[in-house]
Amino acid sequence: MRQARRAAIVLVVAWAAVAIALVVFAARDGRTAKRRLDDARARLTADATAAAVAPSLRSAERRFGRAADNLSSPVLAPIRLLPVVGRQVTSARALARAGRDVSAVALDGVVRLD
């Protein structure tokens, strides 16, 4: 009985560590993606070329996508069921997906204009 309880505790602690790591990585990727978008906005002028802006937009798209993937992990499914924290994770995932999509559209627009 003690071994089963100990194994359950180890399993819960391991799950919590992985869940926390996924959220931390997603937050880091989201912040980095926002910095890349800010960088692209700063470089965007009337005479800017796609070469000046596209790398930042491409990086933002990848980072937002990675954040969305981390927040979509099945490991976080139990957290998404919680009343307050679950809504926060779901909202962060939606924002990351929207950031990925907007970055992709902006990148497509910049490349087409060039």
Side-chain angles (χ1 to χ4, degrees), residues 62-109:
R62 276 195 313 270
R63 290 291 189 141
F64 277 130
R66 210 161 47 195
D69 290 345
N70 283 339
L71 294 171
S72 298
S73 172
V75 172
L76 297 179
I79 292 175
R80 284 192 288 273
L81 297 175
L82 297 174
V84 175
V85 178
R87 285 192 298 268
Q88 298 300 315
V89 171
T90 301
S91 295
R93 179 178 59 183
L95 285 171
R97 287 176 176 169
R100 177 196 60 207
D101 295 346
V102 167
S103 298
V105 169
L107 176 62
D108 185 51

Side-chain angles (χ1 to χ4, degrees), residues 44 47-58 107 109-114:
L44 194 58
D47 57 343
T49 63
V53 180
S56 295
L57 291 174
R58 197 170 289 115
L107 176 62
V110 167
V111 169
R112 286 177 189 241
L113 285 175
D114 197 28

Side-chain angles (χ1 to χ4, degrees), residues 1-12:
M1 187 68 157
R2 275 179 77 174
Q3 287 181 340
R5 185 172 25 208
R6 189 174 301 160
I9 290 170
V10 167
L11 185 63
V12 168

